[in-house]
Amino acid sequence: MALRTIRTEGDPVLEKKSRPITEMTPKLRNLIVDMLDTMYDAMGVGLAAPQVGILKRLVVIDVGEGPIVLINPEILETSGEQTGEEGCLSVPGMAGQVTRPNYVKVKALDINMEEVEYEGTELLARAFCHEIDHLDGRMYTELVEGELHRVSYEDEDEEE
Ligand code: ZN
Protein backbone atom coordinates (compact mmCIF):
# COMPACT_ATOMS: atom_id res chain seq x y z
CA MET A 1 0.00 0.00 0.00
CA ALA A 2 1.26 3.44 -0.88
CA LEU A 3 0.03 6.44 1.00
CA ARG A 4 -0.05 9.74 -0.83
CA THR A 5 0.63 13.07 0.81
CA ILE A 6 -2.58 14.98 1.46
CA ARG A 7 -2.26 18.60 0.37
CA THR A 8 -3.52 21.13 2.88
CA GLU A 9 -5.31 24.45 2.62
CA GLY A 10 -3.13 27.13 1.06
CA ASP A 11 -1.69 24.71 -1.51
CA PRO A 12 -2.66 26.22 -4.90
CA VAL A 13 -3.50 22.77 -6.34
CA LEU A 14 -6.65 22.79 -4.19
CA GLU A 15 -7.96 25.89 -5.96
CA LYS A 16 -7.59 24.57 -9.52
CA LYS A 17 -10.15 22.94 -11.77
CA SER A 18 -9.49 19.25 -12.51
CA ARG A 19 -9.57 17.70 -15.98
CA PRO A 20 -11.85 14.87 -17.12
CA ILE A 21 -10.40 11.35 -17.37
CA THR A 22 -10.58 9.86 -20.88
CA GLU A 23 -9.15 6.37 -20.37
CA MET A 24 -8.31 3.91 -17.62
CA THR A 25 -4.60 3.16 -17.33
CA PRO A 26 -2.53 1.05 -14.92
CA LYS A 27 -1.22 4.31 -13.43
CA LEU A 28 -4.76 5.52 -12.79
CA ARG A 29 -5.74 2.18 -11.20
CA ASN A 30 -2.75 2.58 -8.86
CA LEU A 31 -3.83 6.10 -8.03
CA ILE A 32 -7.34 4.87 -7.12
CA VAL A 33 -5.94 2.17 -4.81
CA ASP A 34 -3.54 4.68 -3.22
CA MET A 35 -6.34 7.22 -2.72
CA LEU A 36 -8.51 4.62 -0.97
CA ASP A 37 -5.58 3.58 1.26
CA THR A 38 -4.79 7.22 2.01
CA MET A 39 -8.42 8.00 2.85
CA TYR A 40 -8.78 4.98 5.19
CA ASP A 41 -5.42 5.71 6.83
CA ALA A 42 -6.51 9.30 7.54
CA MET A 43 -9.94 8.06 8.71
CA GLY A 44 -11.73 10.22 6.18
CA VAL A 45 -14.99 9.46 4.37
CA GLY A 46 -13.92 10.94 1.05
CA LEU A 47 -10.90 12.07 -0.93
CA ALA A 48 -10.62 13.86 -4.27
CA ALA A 49 -7.60 13.53 -6.59
CA PRO A 50 -6.55 17.21 -6.28
CA GLN A 51 -6.11 16.59 -2.54
CA VAL A 52 -3.19 14.33 -3.44
CA GLY A 53 -1.93 16.79 -6.05
CA ILE A 54 -3.49 15.22 -9.16
CA LEU A 55 -5.79 17.48 -11.19
CA LYS A 56 -8.08 14.75 -12.51
CA ARG A 57 -11.84 14.36 -12.01
CA LEU A 58 -11.64 11.40 -9.63
CA VAL A 59 -13.15 10.93 -6.20
CA VAL A 60 -13.23 8.09 -3.67
CA ILE A 61 -15.82 7.89 -0.90
CA ASP A 62 -16.64 5.44 1.88
CA VAL A 63 -19.21 6.45 4.47
CA GLY A 64 -19.06 3.01 6.06
CA GLU A 65 -20.99 1.19 3.34
CA GLY A 66 -18.01 0.20 1.18
CA PRO A 67 -15.83 2.10 -1.27
CA ILE A 68 -17.31 4.18 -4.09
CA VAL A 69 -15.09 5.33 -6.96
CA LEU A 70 -16.40 8.21 -9.09
CA ILE A 71 -14.70 9.20 -12.33
CA ASN A 72 -15.91 12.41 -14.01
CA PRO A 73 -18.84 12.67 -11.57
CA GLU A 74 -21.80 14.93 -12.26
CA ILE A 75 -24.66 15.80 -9.94
CA LEU A 76 -27.95 14.96 -11.69
CA GLU A 77 -30.45 15.81 -9.01
CA THR A 78 -30.62 17.23 -5.50
CA SER A 79 -33.42 17.81 -3.04
CA GLY A 80 -34.01 18.85 0.54
CA GLU A 81 -31.55 20.43 2.91
CA GLN A 82 -29.34 19.38 5.80
CA THR A 83 -27.18 21.52 8.03
CA GLY A 84 -24.40 19.81 9.90
CA GLU A 85 -20.79 19.54 10.83
CA GLU A 86 -18.35 19.12 7.97
CA GLY A 87 -14.60 18.64 7.86
CA CYS A 88 -11.93 17.98 5.26
CA LEU A 89 -8.68 16.01 5.26
CA SER A 90 -7.07 19.09 3.67
CA VAL A 91 -8.08 21.22 6.67
CA PRO A 92 -6.93 18.92 9.47
CA GLY A 93 -8.36 19.26 12.95
CA MET A 94 -11.08 21.73 11.94
CA ALA A 95 -14.82 21.57 11.30
CA GLY A 96 -17.73 23.89 10.62
CA GLN A 97 -21.46 23.99 9.91
CA VAL A 98 -22.39 23.62 6.24
CA THR A 99 -25.82 23.38 4.59
CA ARG A 100 -26.05 20.84 1.77
CA PRO A 101 -28.86 19.04 -0.07
CA ASN A 102 -30.20 16.06 1.88
CA TYR A 103 -30.53 13.92 -1.25
CA VAL A 104 -28.09 13.80 -4.17
CA LYS A 105 -28.10 11.68 -7.30
CA VAL A 106 -24.81 11.43 -9.21
CA LYS A 107 -23.71 9.97 -12.49
CA ALA A 108 -20.08 8.92 -13.04
CA LEU A 109 -17.84 6.31 -14.59
CA ASP A 110 -16.60 3.42 -12.48
CA ILE A 111 -13.11 1.85 -12.46
CA ASN A 112 -14.02 -0.01 -15.71
CA MET A 113 -15.08 3.30 -17.32
CA GLU A 114 -18.70 2.16 -17.29
CA GLU A 115 -21.49 4.53 -16.43
CA VAL A 116 -22.90 4.24 -12.92
CA GLU A 117 -25.43 6.17 -10.88
CA TYR A 118 -25.57 6.56 -7.13
CA GLU A 119 -28.16 8.06 -4.86
CA GLY A 120 -27.26 9.24 -1.39
CA THR A 121 -28.88 10.91 1.57
CA GLU A 122 -27.45 12.51 4.68
CA LEU A 123 -23.68 11.85 5.04
CA LEU A 124 -23.35 10.29 1.58
CA ALA A 125 -25.17 13.22 -0.06
CA ARG A 126 -22.86 15.58 1.83
CA ALA A 127 -19.77 13.63 0.72
CA PHE A 128 -20.84 13.70 -2.96
CA CYS A 129 -21.19 17.50 -2.84
CA HIS A 130 -18.01 18.09 -0.85
CA GLU A 131 -15.78 15.87 -3.01
CA ILE A 132 -17.19 17.04 -6.36
CA ASP A 133 -16.59 20.65 -5.21
CA HIS A 134 -12.88 19.76 -4.84
CA LEU A 135 -12.79 18.95 -8.58
CA ASP A 136 -13.74 22.55 -9.28
CA GLY A 137 -11.28 24.00 -6.79
CA ARG A 138 -13.92 24.77 -4.18
CA MET A 139 -13.26 24.22 -0.46
CA TYR A 140 -16.01 23.69 2.11
CA THR A 141 -14.51 26.50 4.18
CA GLU A 142 -16.12 28.97 1.72
CA LEU A 143 -19.53 27.59 2.71
CA VAL A 144 -19.11 27.45 6.48
CA GLU A 145 -21.80 29.26 8.42
CA GLY A 146 -20.25 31.03 11.39
CA GLU A 147 -16.75 30.08 12.52
CA LEU A 148 -14.55 27.12 11.79
CA HIS A 149 -13.71 25.42 15.06
CA ARG A 150 -11.13 22.96 16.30
CA VAL A 151 -12.16 19.36 16.64
CA SER A 152 -10.74 17.58 19.66
CA TYR A 153 -9.96 13.92 19.54
CA GLU A 154 -10.30 11.62 22.52
CA ASP A 155 -6.68 10.45 22.48
CA GLU A 156 -5.52 14.06 22.48
CA ASP A 157 -7.64 14.71 25.58
CA GLU A 158 -6.03 11.78 27.36
CA GLU A 159 -2.60 13.31 26.95
CA GLU A 160 -3.62 16.45 28.80
ZN1 ZN B 1 -12.35 17.93 1.42
Side-chain angles (χ1 to χ4, degrees), residues 46-48 51 87-91 130-131 134 139-140:
L47 189 68
Q51 291 181 277
C88 178
L89 293 177
S90 292
V91 191
H130 178 115
E131 299 310 330
H134 273 301
M139 297 287 286
Y140 88 99

Side-chain angles (χ1 to χ4, degrees), residues 90-158:
S90 292
V91 191
M94 306 297 283
Q97 293 279 312
V98 179
T99 299
R100 300 279 193 185
N102 196 48
Y103 164 85
V104 176
K105 184 176 179 181
V106 296
K107 169 179 106 167
L109 300 175
D110 67 10
I111 195 160
N112 300 312
M113 297 300 272
E114 278 164 20
E115 205 168 293
V116 281
E117 281 185 9
Y118 289 98
E119 293 177 294
T121 58
E122 297 169 27
L123 181 58
L124 184 53
R126 181 176 291 285
F128 285 146
C129 296
H130 178 115
E131 299 310 330
I132 292 171
D133 273 354
H134 273 301
L135 305 181
D136 293 313
R138 285 195 297 266
M139 297 287 286
Y140 88 99
T141 46
E142 298 165 30
L143 304 173
V144 166
E145 295 149 29
E147 303 275 322
L148 269 187
H149 58 266
R150 290 208 65 82
V151 186
S152 58
Y153 298 102
E154 272 176 43
D155 49 352
E156 278 180 7
D157 291 338
E158 281 165 15

Side-chain angles (χ1 to χ4, degrees), residues 27-132:
K27 208 175 153 185
L28 210 46
R29 280 183 184 269
N30 269 339
L31 173 64
I32 291 168
V33 172
D34 287 356
M35 281 174 60
L36 283 165
D37 288 343
T38 303
M39 173 182 77
Y40 291 127
D41 181 71
M43 302 210 292
V45 299
L47 189 68
Q51 291 181 277
V52 293
I54 311 278
L55 287 169
K56 289 188 192 296
R57 302 189 80 81
L58 164 65
V59 157
V60 297
I61 291 173
D62 190 339
V63 296
E65 296 162 3
I68 295 176
V69 176
L70 302 174
I71 294 169
N72 304 340
E74 277 175 58
I75 292 177
L76 295 178
E77 218 180 297
T78 65
S79 69
E81 211 177 78
Q82 56 172 324
T83 300
E85 193 97 321
E86 197 162 315
C88 178
L89 293 177
S90 292
V91 191
M94 306 297 283
Q97 293 279 312
V98 179
T99 299
R100 300 279 193 185
N102 196 48
Y103 164 85
V104 176
K105 184 176 179 181
V106 296
K107 169 179 106 167
L109 300 175
D110 67 10
I111 195 160
N112 300 312
M113 297 300 272
E114 278 164 20
E115 205 168 293
V116 281
E117 281 185 9
Y118 289 98
E119 293 177 294
T121 58
E122 297 169 27
L123 181 58
L124 184 53
R126 181 176 291 285
F128 285 146
C129 296
H130 178 115
E131 299 310 330
I132 292 171

